[in-house]
Amino acid sequence: MDYRQTLAYLYGLQRFGIKLGLNNIQTLLARLDHPERAMPIVHVAGTNGKGSVSAATALMLQSAGLRTGLYTSPHLHSFTERIRIDGLPIRESELVELTEEIRKVVRSLPVTFFEFTTALALLYFRRRQVDFAVLEVGMGGRLDATNAVVPEISVITPICCDHAEHLGPDLATIAGEKAGIIKHGVPVVVAAQQPDAERVLLTRAADMEAPVCLWNREYRIVEHPPYFDFYSSSRELTRLRSGLEGAHQRQNLAVALMVAVVLQNRGVPLSEKNLRHGIEKVQWPGRLEWWGQQRTVLLDGAHNRGGAEALAAYLGEIGCKRVRWIAGIKGQRCVEDILAPLLPYTVHLYATLPPVDQGVEPDKLVQTAQQAGVSAEVCSSPAEAVAAALDDRDEDEVILVAGSLFLVAAVRDYLMDRERNR
């Protein structure tokens, strides 16, 4: 197979859908001689902020000279972005070779797309002899394919209601699924949580005798823009400047710092310089990303109420009062939950479909916006929506792209093409 055929095979595994459970991945990893046991792992679950925490943690480890694997999802432009070592995506040729190798041991095992790619990432990390791996949970935690590992440390970022059709109808139930990554005796860093979620997480940690580092108890930050200070019982860092914008990202980076402190206390050679580098140099495209040099187009993967509220808070933080919002939402999500926090800033909404199999009909977005007194229109594609917003924009307005990371990726493609053709 070539690279194109390999991707066709991998995406073809989506016919098995989403199957939450560990039997298949455990069987597959056993057939591959357990690559997950070859390296210490940081395992990151939660609803929002997983990618940012994972990226910053990986960069701190990399800065210390530790060969570091990073496995995240989804990708923006190339599948290879999901599997990286020291910031560099897996080469297409290696992806082809490893896919062929794993196919030979899969045989009749009905593995899903995510199970296969998780095994592929772990096998790649073992082959390349990484010193550490950072794994982002795909969905949930307890029955997610990544939960076949026993990590050095577990991490749970803020939890909100999302993927209810798979994880449960309320926050406590969803938190119970996320808490499933907490292993016996393994330290866990817990981000800021709503009370119902926090109670579930702390109960699970107590049951598993897992030491807990809890936000605003074992660690905290003090903000004095553009800097913030980090405090824990064993480490203080002052005048930190975040490489990511937004108050919620500063909290995410505090979580990554607490992870690093725990690893330091467990003998991992991380210096203050390494920690500062990870915080100040981290990049995570598509999350509060201003496109180009002018602060005209803002891209953000906010796709649930928690993400939309964080995005709205950021708009308030920077004094932005007027946005032209290009919106496209994936899957079975509550439209009102995502639109409500952002409509007060919106002068016009351009509703479109993100490039995915299941998307919320743009008519529904338009209807919701109009009921809130915001003018709105349907656009046939993300490209049409961007073109219209750019034409309509007044000087004091920001073009916001949010609702799905797949939408963000499509708009980034359009903007890159537009720049190349100038």
Side-chain angles (χ1 to χ4, degrees):
M1 292 193 300
D2 60 18
Y3 178 65
R4 180 184 57 79
Q5 292 167 325
T6 296
L7 290 184
Y9 168 75
L10 291 173
Y11 289 129
L13 295 174
Q14 291 176 332
R15 69 185 184 277
F16 293 118
I18 296 172
K19 291 192 301 185
L20 297 178
L22 299 180
N23 289 340
N24 282 348
I25 186 65
Q26 289 171 339
T27 300
L28 181 54
L29 292 174
R31 292 178 183 180
L32 295 170
D33 194 25
H34 290 290
E36 78 281 8
R37 299 177 183 174
M39 72 219 75
I41 289 170
V42 178
H43 195 197
V44 184
T47 306
N48 295 321
K50 299 193 300 289
S52 301
V53 170
S54 298
T57 302
L59 187 55
M60 284 187 266
L61 291 165
Q62 178 187 335
S63 177
L66 298 167
R67 192 171 177 78
T68 305
L70 176 63
Y71 176 54
T72 59
S73 61
H75 60 269
L76 280 174
H77 303 294
S78 170
F79 177 89
T80 59
E81 297 168 21
R82 294 170 178 248
I83 304 169
R84 310 182 193 206
I85 294 178
D86 290 347
L88 298 177
I90 185 173
R91 292 201 302 264
E92 292 180 0
S93 59
E94 289 181 284
L95 182 67
V96 170
E97 292 169 9
L98 289 171
T99 299
E100 278 293 311
E101 182 176 343
I102 296 172
R103 280 185 70 180
K104 292 175 182 176
V105 303
V106 166
R107 299 190 291 274
S108 61
L109 191 66
V111 296
T112 64
F113 169 82
F114 192 72
E115 289 167 340
F116 193 106
T117 57
T118 299
L120 193 155
L122 291 166
L123 183 59
Y124 176 60
F125 294 156
R126 182 175 71 184
R127 289 285 166 79
R128 289 296 202 91
Q129 297 181 312
V130 303
D131 299 306
F132 250 95
V134 181
L135 302 186
E136 179 190 351
V137 168
M139 183 172 64
R142 182 176 65 93
L143 300 176
D144 185 81
T146 61
N147 205 29
V149 309
V150 177
E152 185 78 7
I153 183 171
S154 303
V155 188
I156 301 180
T157 67
I159 297 170
C160 69
C161 290
D162 198 12
H163 298 295
E165 69 275 21
H166 297 291
L167 303 180
D170 56 66
L171 190 64
T173 304
I174 293 171
E177 292 298 313
K178 309 284 185 182
I181 73 162
I182 300 174
K183 304 294 197 305
H184 191 272
V186 175
V188 56
V189 174
V190 178
Q193 305 290 345
Q194 298 178 56
D196 285 353
E198 183 177 297
R199 279 192 292 271
V200 171
L201 298 177
L202 293 181
T203 298
R204 166 72 178 183
D207 291 344
M208 301 304 290
E209 299 181 328
V212 178
C213 294
L214 181 65
W215 169 260
N216 268 344
R217 191 180 74 182
E218 277 74 29
Y219 68 105
R220 62 188 178 91
I221 63 173
V222 175
E223 302 203 43
H224 44 101
Y227 302 102
F228 71 97
D229 303 331
F230 170 85
Y231 297 96
S232 73
S233 59
S234 59
R235 172 70 72 174
E236 295 182 5
L237 293 169
T238 60
R239 290 183 65 81
L240 292 161
R241 190 158 189 165
S242 170
L244 303 174
E245 299 222 23
H248 66 290
Q249 290 289 26
R250 293 189 285 277
Q251 290 190 13
N252 288 335
L253 295 182
V255 174
L257 280 170
M258 193 65 239
V259 172
V261 169
V262 174
L263 292 176
Q264 279 181 322
N265 294 339
R266 293 170 72 85
V268 180
L270 289 164
S271 68
E272 178 176 329
K273 182 179 178 181
N274 303 145
L275 271 57
R276 287 187 177 275
H277 180 85
I279 296 307
E280 295 172 1
K281 301 301 182 183
V282 64
Q283 299 286 307
W284 202 232
R287 289 76 170 181
L288 285 186
E289 176 190 12
W290 288 99
W291 184 260
Q293 299 302 312
Q294 297 180 339
R295 291 166 77 92
T296 300
V297 180
L298 177 63
L299 304 146
D300 191 69
H303 60 278
N304 52 45
R305 186 174 186 90
E309 289 175 342
L311 175 54
Y314 173 69
L315 294 176
E317 180 184 335
I318 63 172
C320 178
K321 298 178 180 179
R322 294 173 61 85
V323 302
R324 292 187 175 272
W325 181 9
I326 299 164
I329 298 175
K330 175 182 180 291
Q332 301 176 35
R333 291 188 165 89
C334 178
V335 169
E336 292 77 8
D337 280 355
I338 298 172
L339 266 59
L342 293 165
L343 286 179
Y345 297 89
T346 305
V347 296
H348 190 79
L349 184 136
Y350 305 81
T352 188
L353 278 171
V356 291
D357 290 337
Q358 291 184 327
V360 175
E361 284 300 322
D363 285 338
K364 187 171 183 181
L365 304 185
V366 167
Q367 181 181 13
T368 303
Q370 290 175 341
Q371 287 173 347
V374 175
S375 64
E377 65 183 275
V378 171
C379 297
S380 62
S381 68
E384 180 185 297
V386 178
L390 287 169
D391 284 344
D392 297 342
R393 174 183 173 268
D394 290 333
E395 189 174 338
D396 64 338
E397 296 172 347
V398 166
I399 295 172
L400 173 66
V401 182
S404 165
L405 203 57
F406 296 94
L407 172 71
V408 168
V411 172
R412 285 180 108 254
D413 280 334
Y414 171 83
L415 293 171
M416 285 188 285
D417 288 342
R418 186 168 173 264
E419 289 186 354
R420 282 192 292 262
N421 294 330
R422 277 180 176 174

